[in-house]
Amino acid sequence: FPGMDPYLERRGLWEEIHPALIIELQQFLSPLVRPRYRVAVERRTYLAVLAPDDLIGKPDVLILAETRTPFGSEATATAAGPRIAELPVPEEILERYLEVREVATGEVITVIEIISPTNKQSREGRRAYEEKRGKVLSTRTHLVEIDLLRAGAPMAMRVREDGQRGQYRIVVSRAYQRPRADVYLFSLRQPIPAFPVPLRKGETEPTVDLNAVVHDLYDRAGYDLAVDYRQEPDPPLEADDAIWADALLRQCGARG
């Protein structure tokens, strides 16, 4: 794929890719900002209920089966038997993100976030991320937000309508330009755009070639061995993109 590989978005696989991509970004960016700044890996934890997508916003009880009493028994005539259900059990979620810090003062200059499925698709995860996002946007800290996931509602923003619909997005919010921010919208068929990382006002902003970072990680980590390109990606592609992806995969021999 020229940019984002939709097969990497699969639940289970993305949870492996997310922390690896954080480290790749740290290693890419660190030489560009030193010695005045360092890039630190930070983490947050919270409890979230990881329910299937179709249960988000619905009652948190999934009926699996009904216990049955033998035919003709007294219990059948007097009362219904109990049903078997699954109750939501919160799990601890660990998410990593990057902070660009000034070495001399320790001040956090820029926060770099890579959106995870729980940020977009679980109530608790989205609430926790939106609270963190709101706090950053209310300070003098810059925010870079990278969303490489098609599933789930994008984070809130208002973009001037120009006919361009991006399945993925990168937001660069400079503290001294808020509420205005730069947003890079791109589709499955486009390379992932490079983006600047804001530092102190007036300083040269280093550029991150995210397309190269993602593709290098894919090759070195061997993610091609974790993907069956004969199957459809999860989440599935829209009709036009599915036809385009099938032709691309057949051309490169990933599908017979």
Side-chain angles (χ1 to χ4, degrees):
F1 290 89
M4 181 60 187
D5 185 331
Y7 287 84
L8 303 183
E9 302 174 49
R10 190 187 76 221
R11 284 282 184 94
L13 181 57
W14 181 255
E15 283 73 11
E16 176 185 340
I17 293 171
H18 188 275
L21 186 53
I22 289 285
I23 298 301
E24 287 290 308
L25 277 176
Q26 180 197 36
Q27 295 177 350
F28 182 94
L29 187 56
S30 291
L32 303 180
V33 300
R34 62 172 301 149
R36 182 170 183 180
Y37 303 99
R38 64 179 293 263
V39 183
V41 179
E42 293 296 323
R43 68 180 191 174
R44 60 176 168 267
T45 59
Y46 54 86
L47 295 177
V49 176
L50 302 182
D53 295 346
D54 59 354
L55 293 183
I56 298 301
K58 298 182 180 180
D60 288 326
V61 177
L62 171 62
I63 295 177
L64 299 179
E66 182 178 0
T67 57
R68 298 196 177 273
T69 308
F71 177 77
S73 70
E74 181 179 353
T76 303
T78 59
R83 292 173 178 260
I84 305 300
E86 273 189 6
L87 301 181
V89 178
E91 296 183 24
E92 184 177 69
I93 304 298
L94 169 64
E95 293 181 341
R96 291 179 171 83
Y97 58 96
L98 296 175
E99 289 183 347
V100 180
R101 300 177 182 168
E102 190 172 46
V103 173
T105 64
E107 181 180 352
V108 178
I109 305 300
T110 306
V111 172
I112 303 175
E113 294 274 3
I114 300 178
I115 299 297
S116 70
T118 51
N119 296 151
K120 297 177 74 175
Q121 294 176 271
S122 82
R123 284 179 293 274
E124 299 87 349
R126 191 174 186 100
R127 186 183 305 117
Y129 179 74
E130 287 177 342
E131 289 178 359
K132 164 71 182 300
R133 188 186 198 235
K135 289 178 181 178
V136 173
L137 294 177
S138 66
T139 68
R140 294 186 298 173
T141 302
H142 311 303
L143 174 66
V144 175
E145 186 177 79
I146 302 168
D147 187 353
L148 299 177
L149 300 172
R150 289 171 294 122
M155 295 299 146
M157 69 186 67
R158 185 176 298 158
V159 182
R160 181 178 298 175
E161 180 61 51
D162 61 359
Q164 182 181 2
R165 294 289 183 177
Q167 296 157 306
Y168 309 106
R169 60 185 62 192
I170 299 171
V171 176
V172 178
S173 172
R174 298 171 179 86
Y176 50 83
Q177 293 180 339
R178 290 184 183 129
R180 200 197 83 183
D182 293 339
V183 56
Y184 300 81
L185 301 175
F186 55 104
S187 71
L188 175 70
R189 309 187 195 193
Q190 298 172 303
I192 303 172
F195 63 89
V197 175
L199 301 172
R200 293 287 189 191
K201 187 175 182 180
E203 292 183 338
T204 301
E205 298 179 342
T207 299
V208 174
D209 185 349
L210 188 57
N211 204 60
V213 171
V214 171
H215 285 217
D216 288 347
L217 174 62
Y218 177 95
D219 291 337
R220 291 190 291 106
Y223 288 126
D224 60 308
L225 302 177
V227 172
D228 184 358
Y229 287 104
R230 295 168 298 179
Q231 306 298 322
E232 297 303 315
D234 181 22
L237 299 173
E238 296 181 359
D240 290 347
D241 283 336
I243 295 172
W244 173 84
D246 179 69
L248 180 68
L249 291 169
R250 290 181 185 279
Q251 181 180 357
C252 66
R255 285 184 180 175

